[in-house]
Amino acid sequence: SSSSAASDVYKRQEITCCDTWGTKHKKLIIGSRDGMYICSSLHNNHQKHMTKVVLNELDERYKTKSYHFIQMFVIESKQILVTLVANVGIIVYDLTTIESNEPGELRILDTKLAHRFLIESIDGVIFLVVCIRHKLSLYRWDNNTFNNTKVNVKTHNKIRAVAILERKIIAGFSTEFSIIDIDSITIEPLFSLNTNVKPRDVVTLDNELL
């Protein structure tokens, strides 16, 4: 029917995330279920210019499909845009070429099933925390790429929220939080909504219960 067709079009065009880029002339980068768009001249009170970014989407088998962006984060100091694309994973775009016909991109391996990420600077070093179903992986920006730090933590449940406090990762689940020390990779229960229940072990590392 026409109503269902209109609904499908709306879902494909639905905005899912955004961030701003630039210092003197701010631009808005918009992620949707149907690709990425850039709105230029945010400080201009006149008509805004919206363009769709030309992306090297998926592979030859999926040419007709567009990227469905879940998250995006601009790192101005590195002139990069970190994004999470459904069923593809983490893709890092070069902001200096993103408006060209061939924007530079870097795909982070083994992140296809990721559902959330977090960017944080610790002691001047940029870290990327990636939540992949029941696993949390920590990457470090070095030599123009994100390298896995070998901090890969398996969890008992899907991670719902994540934050970094100094050199500790706070992982939130449906009813509790745990704290992970980046240096020693020690894991401790932090808080539970089930206040009458004794804190229990919530994550495993290298298949060993901690």
Side-chain angles (χ1 to χ4, degrees), residues 8-16 30-37 51-55 57 63-70 85:
D8 290 340
V9 171
Y10 170 77
K11 288 180 180 179
R12 288 199 302 271
Q13 296 177 339
E14 180 182 352
I15 294 173
T16 54
I30 300 169
S32 74
R33 292 176 178 269
D34 189 38
M36 185 193 304
Y37 299 82
T51 58
K52 186 172 183 178
V53 179
V54 179
L55 301 174
E57 297 177 332
K63 271 189 173 180
T64 59
K65 294 187 177 181
S66 295
Y67 279 170
H68 170 191
F69 287 91
I70 299 173
V85 180

Side-chain angles (χ1 to χ4, degrees), residues 108-162:
I108 307 302
L109 299 178
D110 302 321
T111 61
K112 181 178 180 179
L113 300 179
H115 63 275
R116 182 184 296 273
F117 75 82
L118 173 71
I119 300 286
E120 192 70 50
S121 178
I122 304 175
D123 298 329
V125 178
I126 297 173
F127 285 93
L128 166 68
V129 181
V130 182
C131 303
I132 308 173
R133 291 188 174 179
H134 294 188
K135 186 178 76 170
L136 182 149
S137 296
L138 182 67
Y139 295 79
R140 172 182 176 140
W141 181 259
D142 190 33
N143 293 325
N144 295 320
T145 187
F146 279 108
N147 296 300
N148 194 307
T149 64
K150 305 304 180 184
V151 176
N152 298 293
V153 181
K154 292 183 179 180
T155 67
H156 76 296
N157 207 340
K158 184 177 181 179
I159 299 172
R160 306 283 183 173
V162 64

Side-chain angles (χ1 to χ4, degrees), residues 79-98:
Q79 284 293 287
I80 59 175
L81 171 68
V82 183
T83 67
L84 174 56
V85 180
N87 301 315
V88 178
I90 301 293
I91 302 180
V92 181
Y93 290 99
D94 178 1
L95 286 173
T96 64
T97 63
I98 199 167

